[in-house]
Amino acid sequence: MANNVKVSGGVSFCGLLAIAFIVLKLVGVVDWAWWVVLAPLWAPVALAVVMGSIAAVLKGLERRVRG
């Protein structure tokens, strides 16, 4: 019997981008606000919340129309 083990994981693109922005901020290459530097970490979560909210509203409207 073959041992098929798949391992996934690692740092995402947003994680790498956040690390790059943090390094650039700490060495003084960029003079951005910290909320901009950390945007790659919170922006995907914010996008998911917005998309989930829109989906919930649309589902509620659909139920209301179908009555």
Side-chain angles (χ1 to χ4, degrees), residues 8-67:
S8 63
V11 181
S12 67
F13 173 74
C14 290
L16 290 175
L17 193 60
I19 291 170
F21 285 176
I22 290 168
V23 169
L24 290 173
K25 171 79 172 175
L26 292 175
V27 297
V29 174
V30 296
D31 189 29
W32 300 338
W34 277 105
W35 70 269
V36 176
V37 172
L38 298 175
L41 298 178
W42 59 260
V45 175
L47 181 63
V49 168
V50 168
M51 290 175 61
S53 299
I54 291 171
V57 168
L58 291 176
K59 187 161 186 125
L61 289 175
E62 178 186 11
R63 285 186 182 171
R64 186 171 289 188
V65 169
R66 291 186 183 213

